[in-house]
Amino acid sequence: MSSHRNRGVSRAVALLCGLSASFATSLVIAQETPADKTMDEVVVTGSRIARPNLESPVPVTTISGEELFQTGNTSIGDLLNDLPALRSTFSQSNSSRFLGTTGLNLLDLRGLGTQRTLVLVNGRRHVGSDILSNAVSPDTNTFPTDLIERIDVVTGGNSAVYGSDAIAGVVNFVLKKDYTGLQFRGQAGQSDEGDAGNYYGSILGGTNFMDDRGNIAFNFEYAKQDAWFASERENLRNNGNFVVVDSDPASAENGSDGNPDRVFYDDIRFASIANSGSFLITNNAMAPTLTPCGVDSLGGRFSCSYVFDANGALVPQTGQRIGLAPTGNFLGGNGMNNREETLLAIYPDLDRYSLNVFGHLQISEAFVPFVEAKYVRTESIRYGSPAFFQGGTTGDPRETISWTNPYLSDQARAVLQQARVNAGFTGGAPGTPTGPYDDTSRIALRKNLIEFGPRREDATRETSRIVLGVGGQMSENWNYEVALNYGEFKEDTIVRGNMNMQRFGLAMDSTLSGGNIVCRSQVDPDAAFIYPFSNDDDFATARLADDVASCVPMNPFGQGNISEGARGYVLQD
């Protein structure tokens, strides 16, 4: 019930010094000509991976910047995830898989984990962005698209020489050098469904100076990706899946009775929860001859499911009953499939601002200072399913609905009483487990609280990095490089749309007082709901008096009946 705000800062500093012979930094190839022998030098990537497939003991996959440009993809990580060697672990299409990762694009070679894939920029390490987990994996969304000359990917082999974070392999982003000119680029597009907007703009400029011995360049990029949802797509708005419809008896020959155990259905609706609210009435085990809601393929009796319609009336859930008792599912009908409205987000909302400056000056062949600097800000919004309520989240009986709740209509009470009779609960006294409902009864409402809106994560991430160094060629066979690499990553995440369970319990338990609907706890001190999780008991007790005083009663029946006041009272960032 308590609010939380994630803040984090990650810093990485590395001092890199290298002195190596030519066999480590260049490749000499002898070529025979009619006159004599000539020697050609082949430039090696900053990660010390040679030009692909010339002297590398393992295959190297190279993607050029031009190929990246032609795809029109503004997310480098999503593009690389098309490679067979990379697993789509943290990407935009996986944005809702984990908490705290929306907007991140982390590379995962061979599926060994992002912390085992080393990502380099010009052969140097980059500050990590996964601060809520390992804090070692860079976010490829922070890399400048228009500055990439090529991307080299090497898996396994001698990549582990870089350390344990390179066991799966190394991905090296080689950026352009000596850029001169001025380039503007922009693009915008949507899917043919009219959603999934994607926008990008870039300015790249550079010039030489001091008789072309120096170069300085800058790049500014802005990219935006619109969120889109399954409900907007015809092929996604239905829930298609395999449903268990049969179970083979132990006596079956060859372990099978000849009937399929699973059948694929393309419009599955839940039988145990609804956006408008659902009541599930279980059959009385003492009345085995009653089958008011059908039986499954094994003879088991389905529980009866009732949902509120658009007019607020409680009606039986419709559709073909599928699956196995007691709950099962429905095929079609008036139930929910958890893909309505914004319940299932496919892509998050993402805005990215990126500024890069880089340059070098050749004072002599043996002394070439250089600099790389960047600042990137990304803003992402993750849309998750709203809070749901099934009357058993905490195990406290006050979570369930009182039979005297003033928001429960007489029509709904009549339907529920008849459902109890149909299910065989007629022999016991009123209010007992085997009898009809009375004023002492409480029943579980199973509701997806779509009126609360999606649970959101609004994340703002800032990445700063600067590399200062000097290198040069000391002789024909020896060169050196010394660099100071400093990076800083900051994240501020607000988690919105969380349910304050103590306030929710108070708001759900309403009664009549003086002709007005009020929270029961405001007129009956025994109805005060203390949040029952032991770790928060002291905090919940301290807040209880204020929560009771400010309580706003909530109407949970039907869809769209929760007031803004009740919504504001229950939700907490």
Side-chain angles (χ1 to χ4, degrees), residues 71-395:
T71 66
N73 199 326
T74 59
S75 174
I76 301 170
D78 285 349
L79 173 67
L80 292 178
N81 280 335
D82 289 336
L83 297 177
L86 280 158
R87 180 180 180 183
S88 182
T89 301
F90 294 100
S91 66
Q92 301 315 293
S93 58
N94 255 341
S95 59
S96 299
R97 183 180 180 189
F98 302 105
L99 297 177
T101 63
T102 303
L104 292 178
N105 229 314
L106 312 179
L107 301 183
D108 183 5
L109 282 168
R110 298 185 173 187
L112 297 179
T114 58
Q115 72 275 19
R116 294 293 179 255
T117 300
L118 180 60
V119 177
L120 305 173
V121 178
N122 286 337
R124 305 180 189 92
R125 294 176 184 264
H126 192 285
V127 62
S129 302
D130 56 335
I131 196 167
L132 298 183
S133 53
N134 298 298
V136 296
S137 304
D139 179 12
T140 58
N141 277 333
T142 66
F143 296 168
T145 307
D146 276 358
L147 284 180
I148 294 175
E149 179 178 306
R150 71 177 187 273
I151 305 171
D152 293 336
V153 181
V154 59
T155 56
N158 56 6
S159 64
V161 299
Y162 285 96
S164 62
D165 54 353
I167 288 176
V170 180
V171 181
N172 183 41
F173 290 78
V174 181
L175 304 184
K176 296 175 181 178
K177 298 179 180 179
D178 294 312
Y179 183 83
T180 59
L182 187 63
Q183 171 186 294
F184 298 88
R185 182 163 76 93
Q187 66 181 56
Q190 287 184 330
S191 73
D192 56 7
E193 300 284 343
D195 57 16
N198 200 300
Y199 314 94
Y200 176 82
S202 169
I203 302 175
L204 175 62
T207 183
N208 291 335
F209 58 93
M210 294 186 66
D211 298 328
D212 295 337
R213 290 187 293 112
N215 177 269
I216 187 169
F218 76 95
N219 169 250
F220 175 77
E221 293 183 357
Y222 170 72
K224 178 175 178 58
Q225 172 187 283
D226 290 337
W228 58 282
F229 305 90
S231 60
E232 300 170 347
R233 298 293 181 92
E234 183 177 356
N235 65 322
L236 295 177
R237 63 173 62 108
N238 285 348
N239 185 358
N241 212 331
F242 285 92
V243 175
V244 177
V245 297
D246 187 54
S247 178
D248 298 321
S251 60
E253 186 178 355
N254 298 323
S256 174
D257 60 5
N259 297 317
D261 292 345
R262 296 174 181 266
V263 175
F264 183 85
Y265 295 97
D266 62 358
D267 188 13
I268 301 171
R269 308 294 178 94
F270 299 118
S272 58
I273 191 169
N275 293 328
S276 58
S278 171
F279 289 106
L280 199 63
I281 307 298
T282 304
N283 289 282
N284 188 351
M286 303 303 293
T289 60
L290 297 175
T291 56
C293 294
V295 296
D296 62 17
S297 62
L298 303 178
R301 296 183 299 160
F302 284 115
S303 298
C304 297
S305 180
Y306 296 85
V307 299
F308 289 90
D309 65 14
N311 298 318
L314 188 63
V315 298
Q317 185 169 345
T318 60
Q320 176 188 344
R321 206 63 187 260
I322 57 177
L324 296 179
T327 305
N329 298 103
F330 284 87
L331 179 62
N334 59 357
M336 64 163 281
N337 64 8
N338 207 35
R339 299 194 178 192
E340 298 86 0
E341 299 185 20
T342 61
L343 292 182
L344 179 58
I346 307 300
Y347 266 58
D349 193 276
L350 180 66
D351 287 86
R352 181 178 80 243
Y353 308 84
S354 174
L355 177 64
N356 285 264
V357 178
F358 55 99
H360 67 272
L361 175 62
Q362 182 178 353
I363 297 177
S364 68
E365 287 190 0
F367 190 74
V368 183
F370 60 88
V371 60
E372 299 172 11
K374 71 185 297 183
Y375 171 77
V376 182
R377 178 185 175 93
T378 62
E379 300 170 355
S380 64
I381 301 177
R382 172 189 181 269
Y383 297 89
S385 294
F388 58 88
F389 179 72
Q390 294 185 316
T393 305
T394 64

